[in-house]
Amino acid sequence: MDVTRGGLVNYRCPNCGATQTFNPALRSLSCAFCGTQLVVKDDPVAGIAGERFIVPFALDHAQARSILASWLKNRGVLDFAPRDVLSTSQFDEGMGVYVPYWHYTCAVSSNWTGRYGQTQYRTDVVTRGKKGKQSVQARRVPYTLWFPTSGQHAGEHGALVLASYGVTPAESDALGPYPLEHVRPDVADYHSGFITEEPACNAEKAWEMGDYLIRAQESAACRQMTPVLDTVNSTIQRCYVSLVWMPMWIFGYRYKGTRFRLIVEGCTGKLYGTRPGLMDRLKRR
């Protein structure tokens, strides 16, 4: 096994692929993401280079359960769901999980081209009325002349890229934006009592999405500089990469043999989950 912080070890779930840490004194455990009962065996996981940060849990288990209970009491969220969801489903106690993200902070410079318009007016002559009773009227009609423009822009942007097998992109997007203002240097004490998922991909692989997000932010910044943006040629001059763990309380429940789950973001208290019915996405702001 791969021994990590505080004597904990890494283990990869054979069902969903999530890699999480746990106490090696336990001979078995339940996957926090899919509920699969795991039997511990050797499964080495490669180490992670680079700086690590963490957003600590601000909500304890009782507070997360309270948010879940309030949501369950809101009958509106169960529209289109089977009537017996609450009465027949078995909810588990929930687990506190740190979910990994790669964070990129990049300095970007760009050359852009665009267009700006000037309103001009022309006079049109219009004939109105029936034959024999016609009148000629002149009216001013506005039109726009477009002129080319160009410029430069330099800025710094940040991108947070999910690096989890256990949490889906849809769940992650719904729970964001994440409170990066609460980020702290990663120390072992923060992980005590919680499960920590190790990254499902390295920083190089996640950079494909990070690069897309950074360039999209730079294009949006350039778009503020001209009425019509035509092209943006961006160069990433430097990029700082780090690993950040986000806190999530994950609750699972079964309905007629199918497992569903609800996630409470452990710092902001946002809730997102799935349930049986026509509308599978539930969101609490």
Side-chain angles (χ1 to χ4, degrees):
M1 294 182 185
D2 181 31
V3 180
T4 182
R5 65 183 75 77
L8 302 180
V9 298
N10 294 328
Y11 187 75
R12 189 184 304 278
C13 175
N15 183 41
C16 70
T19 301
Q20 52 199 287
T21 59
F22 69 98
N23 189 333
L26 300 175
R27 303 306 297 267
S28 64
L29 72 157
S30 176
C31 177
F33 299 100
C34 68
T36 299
Q37 294 298 316
L38 309 177
V39 177
V40 179
K41 62 182 180 179
D42 291 342
D43 186 17
V45 177
I48 306 163
E51 291 197 65
R52 304 178 180 212
F53 295 91
I54 193 168
V55 175
F57 276 90
L59 302 174
D60 60 24
H61 182 266
Q63 290 171 315
R65 289 284 297 185
S66 177
I67 291 173
L68 178 60
S70 297
W71 175 80
L72 290 173
K73 291 177 182 178
N74 182 359
R75 299 296 300 183
V77 301
L78 294 177
D79 290 345
F80 303 106
R83 294 180 178 274
D84 61 348
V85 169
L86 296 182
S87 61
T88 62
S89 298
Q90 296 180 340
F91 288 81
D92 61 31
E93 286 300 313
M95 299 182 184
V97 182
Y98 280 111
V99 176
Y101 288 78
W102 290 108
H103 185 249
Y104 304 89
T105 303
C106 301
V108 186
S109 62
S110 301
N111 295 310
W112 56 266
T113 63
R115 289 167 286 157
Y116 68 94
Q118 288 185 352
T119 301
Q120 305 287 334
Y121 292 88
R122 66 175 182 267
T123 301
D124 287 357
V125 177
V126 180
T127 301
R128 298 182 181 278
K130 298 180 180 180
K131 188 175 181 180
K133 297 182 179 180
Q134 293 178 333
S135 62
V136 178
Q137 298 178 353
R139 64 176 183 178
R140 296 183 71 200
V141 179
Y143 66 97
T144 302
L145 288 179
W146 292 96
F147 301 92
T149 184
S150 61
Q152 296 178 331
H153 180 269
E156 187 171 284
H157 307 289
L160 199 63
V161 179
L162 179 67
S164 170
Y165 275 130
V167 172
T168 67
E171 291 170 327
S172 177
D173 291 345
L175 292 169
Y178 292 94
L180 289 174
E181 65 273 16
H182 296 292
V183 72
R184 301 288 185 271
D186 179 40
V187 294
D189 290 347
Y190 287 127
H191 298 267
S192 178
F194 300 104
I195 292 173
T196 302
E197 183 189 10
E198 296 299 323
C201 60
N202 58 30
E204 289 74 18
K205 184 176 181 180
W207 172 242
E208 180 178 353
M209 175 57 70
D211 180 65
Y212 170 79
L213 294 174
I214 292 292
R215 293 181 185 276
Q217 292 176 52
E218 177 64 10
S219 293
C222 293
R223 194 170 291 113
Q224 299 300 313
M225 305 182 72
T226 179
V228 177
L229 182 67
D230 291 324
T231 65
V232 178
N233 183 17
S234 298
T235 301
I236 296 178
Q237 297 179 322
R238 67 178 184 276
C239 188
Y240 175 75
V241 185
S242 60
L243 183 64
V244 182
W245 274 283
M246 294 295 172
M248 299 186 186
W249 287 103
I250 299 179
F251 299 90
Y253 66 98
R254 291 189 177 277
Y255 175 76
K256 296 184 177 179
T258 301
R259 188 176 190 273
F260 300 88
R261 67 179 177 186
L262 303 165
I263 302 177
V264 177
E265 204 278 332
C267 188
T268 64
K270 290 182 181 178
L271 184 148
Y272 182 85
T274 57
R275 52 107 168 110
L278 298 177
M279 300 173 61
D280 286 332
R281 297 178 182 178
L282 303 175
K283 194 172 185 180
R284 173 185 177 272
R285 288 293 185 184

